Amino acid sequence: MAIAGDSLKMLVLNAEGKKKSISIEVEGNPENDFYGVCLDGSNGVAVDNIPLRGSSGLELLKINPRFLQEQIRRLNVKMSILQFCVNVVPYDSPSYTWYENNLVRIIQTLKRADPELQVLVIGVSDMAKKTEGQWQSYSNIDAIRQAQKNAAFRTKSAFWDLYEVMGGRNSIVAWAGTNPPLAGKDYIHLTPRGAQVIGEYLFQALEKVKKQSSNGI
């Protein structure tokens, strides 16, 4: 089925009943780009992940503003969760104001596309490197966290401190040492199990805010 055009196009297919598997084939066309598939239900909350491995998040500034606006409108996006900065940590800098300002630009770009869009910034996780023969947290994490927090508050966005949730300094070492491990032996990335734990913590935090909001707190 061909859907030609120079703007965002969506094809909605309704599946009857439960499906154990689904197969989708896409025929390449140099005149059009295929962006992805949303396997969403007809009710509840849908969560779509856009993985940008090796990215600091600054690539989001390259998105065409009108196209971004159309995506948010057509997909009925209510919240954008930004989790980046792991790839910034290994590169020490005397100041992270430059990253704070760029993060502000990213959030402003999203909010210009939809002024009602809620934005949640997830702070950088703990990371460690070998220092004098021992794995220790990078010394610049606090400065990067503060830059992220400043950017969130400057744009009236929410901030969730993942570093603190993990346990703070050297927590990645403890997470890697659990059985089964919650983080990899690179002392950077979480394991799938660790990511699931963090996901549960985040869900609980969002549920708490929702409850407080409904109670007028």
Side-chain angles (χ1 to χ4, degrees):
M1 181 182 296
I3 309 178
D6 57 1
S7 61
L8 178 65
K9 301 292 183 181
M10 291 179 59
L11 175 64
V12 179
L13 301 174
N14 295 313
E16 297 294 334
K18 295 182 179 180
K19 303 292 182 183
K20 292 185 178 180
S21 63
I22 184 171
S23 177
I24 298 174
E25 294 184 12
V26 179
E27 184 176 342
N29 187 331
E31 297 180 0
N32 293 292
D33 295 316
F34 179 77
Y35 285 92
V37 176
C38 294
L39 301 176
D40 298 339
S42 57
N43 52 49
V45 177
V47 179
D48 297 306
N49 181 42
I50 305 176
L52 298 173
R53 292 189 65 85
S55 169
S56 61
L58 302 184
E59 288 81 358
L60 295 175
L61 293 172
K62 300 176 182 179
I63 298 177
N64 181 290
R66 290 184 179 179
F67 194 70
L68 175 62
Q69 184 179 41
E70 184 66 6
Q71 288 184 76
I72 291 175
R73 185 185 70 82
R74 295 286 296 275
L75 294 173
N76 194 30
V77 179
K78 300 301 182 183
M79 173 183 281
S80 179
I81 302 176
L82 303 176
Q83 183 186 11
F84 293 103
C85 225
V86 165
N87 294 288
V88 175
V89 174
Y91 304 99
D92 201 13
S93 175
S95 170
Y96 289 92
T97 301
W98 60 273
Y99 188 79
E100 175 184 329
N101 291 335
N102 278 315
L103 186 53
V104 166
R105 289 174 58 204
I106 291 171
I107 298 172
Q108 289 175 337
T109 297
L110 292 169
K111 292 194 172 186
R112 274 195 296 268
D114 181 1
E116 300 298 319
L117 182 70
Q118 300 296 314
V119 176
L120 169 61
V121 177
I122 295 182
V124 65
S125 57
D126 186 37
M127 293 172 53
K129 65 177 179 178
K130 263 196 173 181
T131 303
E132 297 179 355
Q134 292 185 331
W135 289 97
Q136 298 181 23
S137 295
Y138 280 83
S139 60
N140 59 347
I141 288 181
D142 283 333
I144 294 174
R145 286 170 60 225
Q146 191 60 51
Q148 293 176 305
K149 187 182 296 185
N150 292 344
F153 293 165
R154 283 171 60 186
T155 55
K156 294 181 172 59
S157 303
F159 177 78
W160 193 62
D161 197 340
L162 177 54
Y163 178 79
E164 185 177 86
V165 169
M166 290 180 65
R169 182 168 178 77
N170 293 334
S171 57
I172 191 71
V173 179
W175 280 56
T178 60
N179 185 22
L182 300 177
K185 291 301 183 181
D186 61 357
Y187 300 99
I188 297 174
H189 299 97
L190 299 175
T191 61
R193 185 178 179 86
Q196 184 177 5
V197 170
I198 290 298
E200 288 292 335
Y201 285 156
L202 176 58
F203 175 77
Q204 292 170 12
L206 292 173
E207 282 291 294
K208 182 179 180 180
V209 172
K210 180 182 176 183
K211 184 177 181 180
Q212 291 175 339
S213 178
S214 63
N215 292 334
I217 300 177

